Amino acid sequence: MKKDNLLIFIITSLLWTSCAPRQYTISEIESNRIAVDSSWDEKLNPEMESLVNSYKQSLENQMNIEIGFAKQTMIKGRPQSLLTNFTADVMRKKAIELWGEADFAVVNNGGIRSTLNEGTILVEDLYEIYSFDNTLVLLDLPGEAVIRFFEAIALEGGQGLSDNLEVVIEKNNLKSLKIGGESVNIDKIYKIATLDYLAEGNDGMVVFKEATNKKESHETLRDIMIEYVKQQTVNNYEIDAKLDNRIIINP
């Protein structure tokens, strides 16, 4: 073999050897706990502290903006509540604004993380209530699947539903259901405004995975609620909600 060819062969062999996958085994594992406390603040980095404080001040300025006024304190709960009713109603209105239609809206109790207190509403309040980045979507769901969805709602004892519904539950069973004042048509495709997280079948809403179509708004629920409160304020309205017959629990 010529010298040049031999050199190429050796280099190629080395490359193949170096690229070959290596097998490793864990020989030992060590761990310890590090307390995250004030001891880490003894020696502050002035430049980092200045940077953090600048962002902190900017964020506080944005969070402390007054955007509305709540007429009463609203909490979440089952079978319905002021806060879940308010949220679901706004979701349906937004869906109609975006897509021209929405038969009803659904929000889960778990997606609402705080209480809206009576009085001045700050941007910070809505960040605390709607702390997740869940976005509004519109699902197409066949009537038969809609009935099964509300049967699951009956077992749970309620969820956040919009005001154009009348769901009657008796002993955790769905006794009757009306959407827009009419009984459910199993051959109809219903338009449901909900959150992308729920559309994936999470929080027990497995039926939503049977949706035949999904439209994305790419707008978070938080931003939608902030926008709504601001607009109500511009129109000289206070934020309010009520309990009604959207969910009826019979003994």
Side-chain angles (χ1 to χ4, degrees), residues 13 30 32 39 45 50 70 72 76 80 97 102 110-111 117 121 133 187-188 194 211 236 241:
S13 299
E30 292 183 1
N32 54 59
S39 63
N45 183 308
S50 176
Q72 59 180 319
K76 70 173 184 177
Q80 60 172 301
E97 177 188 318
N117 293 310
I121 302 173
D133 290 331
D187 297 319
K188 178 180 176 179
T194 189
N236 295 318

mmCIF file of all heavy atoms in Angstrom, residues 13 30 32 39 45 50 70 72 76 80 97 102 110-111 117 121 133 187-188 194 211 236 241:
data_model
loop_
_atom_site.group_PDB
_atom_site.id
_atom_site.type_symbol
_atom_site.label_atom_id
_atom_site.label_comp_id
_atom_site.label_asym_id
_atom_site.label_seq_id
_atom_site.Cartn_x
_atom_site.Cartn_y
_atom_site.Cartn_z
ATOM 1 N N SER A 13 -9.941 5.284 9.663
ATOM 2 C CA SER A 13 -10.176 4.327 10.742
ATOM 3 C C SER A 13 -10.338 5.030 12.075
ATOM 4 O O SER A 13 -11.200 4.692 12.895
ATOM 5 C CB SER A 13 -9.036 3.309 10.809
ATOM 6 O OG SER A 13 -8.942 2.586 9.622
ATOM 7 N N GLU A 30 -24.204 11.016 43.898
ATOM 8 C CA GLU A 30 -24.143 11.800 45.127
ATOM 9 C C GLU A 30 -25.141 12.949 45.036
ATOM 10 O O GLU A 30 -25.370 13.487 43.960
ATOM 11 C CB GLU A 30 -22.736 12.360 45.352
ATOM 12 C CG GLU A 30 -21.691 11.312 45.655
ATOM 13 C CD GLU A 30 -20.334 11.943 45.947
ATOM 14 O OE1 GLU A 30 -20.255 13.191 45.917
ATOM 15 O OE2 GLU A 30 -19.388 11.195 46.196
ATOM 16 N N ASN A 32 -26.964 16.436 47.440
ATOM 17 C CA ASN A 32 -27.040 17.222 48.665
ATOM 18 C C ASN A 32 -28.074 18.326 48.479
ATOM 19 O O ASN A 32 -28.492 18.611 47.352
ATOM 20 C CB ASN A 32 -25.674 17.815 49.035
ATOM 21 C CG ASN A 32 -25.074 18.617 47.898
ATOM 22 O OD1 ASN A 32 -25.657 19.576 47.433
ATOM 23 N ND2 ASN A 32 -23.884 18.211 47.454
ATOM 24 N N SER A 39 -29.019 33.867 52.876
ATOM 25 C CA SER A 39 -27.557 33.796 52.894
ATOM 26 C C SER A 39 -26.970 34.067 51.512
ATOM 27 O O SER A 39 -25.825 34.510 51.387
ATOM 28 C CB SER A 39 -27.097 32.424 53.398
ATOM 29 O OG SER A 39 -27.522 31.404 52.516
ATOM 30 N N ASN A 45 -24.499 41.327 43.655
ATOM 31 C CA ASN A 45 -23.828 41.863 42.482
ATOM 32 C C ASN A 45 -24.532 43.162 42.107
ATOM 33 O O ASN A 45 -25.684 43.139 41.673
ATOM 34 C CB ASN A 45 -23.898 40.866 41.328
ATOM 35 C CG ASN A 45 -23.144 41.337 40.101
ATOM 36 O OD1 ASN A 45 -23.360 42.449 39.632
ATOM 37 N ND2 ASN A 45 -22.284 40.487 39.575
ATOM 38 N N SER A 50 -29.142 46.047 39.967
ATOM 39 C CA SER A 50 -29.664 47.192 39.236
ATOM 40 C C SER A 50 -30.542 46.749 38.071
ATOM 41 O O SER A 50 -31.610 47.316 37.821
ATOM 42 C CB SER A 50 -28.511 48.054 38.726
ATOM 43 O OG SER A 50 -28.989 49.117 37.950
ATOM 44 N N ALA A 70 -65.017 46.173 40.076
ATOM 45 C CA ALA A 70 -65.905 45.023 40.300
ATOM 46 C C ALA A 70 -67.017 45.409 41.273
ATOM 47 O O ALA A 70 -66.744 45.898 42.371
ATOM 48 C CB ALA A 70 -65.105 43.847 40.850
ATOM 49 N N GLN A 72 -69.038 43.466 42.848
ATOM 50 C CA GLN A 72 -69.096 42.548 43.984
ATOM 51 C C GLN A 72 -67.931 41.572 43.903
ATOM 52 O O GLN A 72 -67.300 41.433 42.863
ATOM 53 C CB GLN A 72 -70.422 41.786 44.000
ATOM 54 C CG GLN A 72 -70.664 40.963 42.740
ATOM 55 C CD GLN A 72 -71.976 40.206 42.758
ATOM 56 O OE1 GLN A 72 -72.370 39.651 43.786
ATOM 57 N NE2 GLN A 72 -72.684 40.192 41.633
ATOM 58 N N LYS A 76 -64.774 31.378 42.506
ATOM 59 C CA LYS A 76 -65.071 30.225 41.666
ATOM 60 C C LYS A 76 -65.677 29.122 42.519
ATOM 61 O O LYS A 76 -65.497 29.104 43.748
ATOM 62 C CB LYS A 76 -63.807 29.716 40.985
ATOM 63 C CG LYS A 76 -62.810 29.062 41.946
ATOM 64 C CD LYS A 76 -61.668 28.425 41.186
ATOM 65 C CE LYS A 76 -60.716 27.679 42.122
ATOM 66 N NZ LYS A 76 -59.633 27.003 41.396
ATOM 67 N N GLN A 80 -72.078 26.194 39.966
ATOM 68 C CA GLN A 80 -71.734 27.396 39.217
ATOM 69 C C GLN A 80 -71.283 28.446 40.217
ATOM 70 O O GLN A 80 -71.445 28.285 41.428
ATOM 71 C CB GLN A 80 -72.927 27.904 38.402
ATOM 72 C CG GLN A 80 -74.152 28.279 39.237
ATOM 73 C CD GLN A 80 -75.240 28.964 38.410
ATOM 74 O OE1 GLN A 80 -75.010 30.003 37.804
ATOM 75 N NE2 GLN A 80 -76.419 28.349 38.365
ATOM 76 N N GLU A 97 -67.284 37.139 18.448
ATOM 77 C CA GLU A 97 -66.589 38.268 17.823
ATOM 78 C C GLU A 97 -65.554 37.785 16.817
ATOM 79 O O GLU A 97 -65.412 38.358 15.725
ATOM 80 C CB GLU A 97 -65.911 39.109 18.910
ATOM 81 C CG GLU A 97 -65.080 40.277 18.385
ATOM 82 C CD GLU A 97 -64.292 40.955 19.492
ATOM 83 O OE1 GLU A 97 -64.847 41.147 20.597
ATOM 84 O OE2 GLU A 97 -63.102 41.282 19.263
ATOM 85 N N ALA A 102 -70.829 30.691 18.358
ATOM 86 C CA ALA A 102 -70.397 29.846 19.479
ATOM 87 C C ALA A 102 -71.657 29.452 20.222
ATOM 88 O O ALA A 102 -72.353 30.301 20.770
ATOM 89 C CB ALA A 102 -69.432 30.578 20.391
ATOM 90 N N GLY A 110 -60.325 24.662 37.610
ATOM 91 C CA GLY A 110 -58.895 24.651 37.872
ATOM 92 C C GLY A 110 -58.125 25.708 37.105
ATOM 93 O O GLY A 110 -57.010 26.064 37.478
ATOM 94 N N GLY A 111 -58.710 26.210 36.020
ATOM 95 C CA GLY A 111 -58.047 27.234 35.232
ATOM 96 C C GLY A 111 -58.160 28.622 35.834
ATOM 97 O O GLY A 111 -57.528 29.565 35.350
ATOM 98 N N ASN A 117 -61.906 40.428 43.726
ATOM 99 C CA ASN A 117 -62.493 41.129 44.866
ATOM 100 C C ASN A 117 -63.265 42.369 44.442
ATOM 101 O O ASN A 117 -62.955 43.002 43.427
ATOM 102 C CB ASN A 117 -61.391 41.522 45.859
ATOM 103 C CG ASN A 117 -60.761 40.316 46.521
ATOM 104 O OD1 ASN A 117 -61.456 39.434 47.037
ATOM 105 N ND2 ASN A 117 -59.437 40.237 46.491
ATOM 106 N N ILE A 121 -60.156 47.102 39.972
ATOM 107 C CA ILE A 121 -59.497 45.968 39.336
ATOM 108 C C ILE A 121 -58.190 46.434 38.725
ATOM 109 O O ILE A 121 -58.167 47.376 37.921
ATOM 110 C CB ILE A 121 -60.387 45.360 38.226
ATOM 111 C CG1 ILE A 121 -61.732 44.912 38.792
ATOM 112 C CG2 ILE A 121 -59.668 44.181 37.560
ATOM 113 C CD1 ILE A 121 -62.724 44.461 37.726
ATOM 114 N N ASP A 133 -51.162 30.457 30.498
ATOM 115 C CA ASP A 133 -51.166 31.026 29.145
ATOM 116 C C ASP A 133 -52.088 30.245 28.214
ATOM 117 O O ASP A 133 -51.791 30.079 27.025
ATOM 118 C CB ASP A 133 -49.739 31.057 28.577
ATOM 119 C CG ASP A 133 -48.869 32.077 29.276
ATOM 120 O OD1 ASP A 133 -49.411 33.090 29.759
ATOM 121 O OD2 ASP A 133 -47.644 31.861 29.351
ATOM 122 N N ASP A 187 -77.724 15.145 15.567
ATOM 123 C CA ASP A 187 -77.196 15.232 14.204
ATOM 124 C C ASP A 187 -76.537 16.583 13.910
ATOM 125 O O ASP A 187 -75.981 16.785 12.828
ATOM 126 C CB ASP A 187 -78.311 14.989 13.181
ATOM 127 C CG ASP A 187 -78.904 13.589 13.292
ATOM 128 O OD1 ASP A 187 -78.118 12.642 13.482
ATOM 129 O OD2 ASP A 187 -80.137 13.448 13.203
ATOM 130 N N LYS A 188 -76.588 17.488 14.875
ATOM 131 C CA LYS A 188 -76.031 18.829 14.671
ATOM 132 C C LYS A 188 -74.578 18.889 15.150
ATOM 133 O O LYS A 188 -74.184 18.181 16.083
ATOM 134 C CB LYS A 188 -76.873 19.858 15.432
ATOM 135 C CG LYS A 188 -76.357 21.289 15.335
ATOM 136 C CD LYS A 188 -77.240 22.268 16.113
ATOM 137 C CE LYS A 188 -76.655 23.669 16.098
ATOM 138 N NZ LYS A 188 -77.514 24.648 16.820
ATOM 139 N N THR A 194 -63.714 27.158 24.150
ATOM 140 C CA THR A 194 -63.052 26.639 25.348
ATOM 141 C C THR A 194 -61.560 26.973 25.279
ATOM 142 O O THR A 194 -61.140 27.803 24.470
ATOM 143 C CB THR A 194 -63.294 25.127 25.499
ATOM 144 O OG1 THR A 194 -62.820 24.691 26.775
ATOM 145 C CG2 THR A 194 -62.624 24.331 24.399
ATOM 146 N N ALA A 211 -63.484 16.262 18.729
ATOM 147 C CA ALA A 211 -63.860 17.412 17.908
ATOM 148 C C ALA A 211 -63.466 17.176 16.451
ATOM 149 O O ALA A 211 -62.380 16.675 16.162
ATOM 150 C CB ALA A 211 -63.205 18.680 18.432
ATOM 151 N N ASN A 236 -68.377 52.790 30.538
ATOM 152 C CA ASN A 236 -68.944 53.183 31.842
ATOM 153 C C ASN A 236 -69.749 52.073 32.522
ATOM 154 O O ASN A 236 -70.742 52.343 33.199
ATOM 155 C CB ASN A 236 -69.812 54.437 31.695
ATOM 156 C CG ASN A 236 -69.007 55.646 31.285
ATOM 157 O OD1 ASN A 236 -67.907 55.880 31.794
ATOM 158 N ND2 ASN A 236 -69.528 56.424 30.340
ATOM 159 N N ALA A 241 -71.622 39.941 37.703
ATOM 160 C CA ALA A 241 -72.085 38.627 37.245
ATOM 161 C C ALA A 241 -73.241 38.197 38.126
ATOM 162 O O ALA A 241 -73.525 38.819 39.155
ATOM 163 C CB ALA A 241 -70.953 37.603 37.304
#
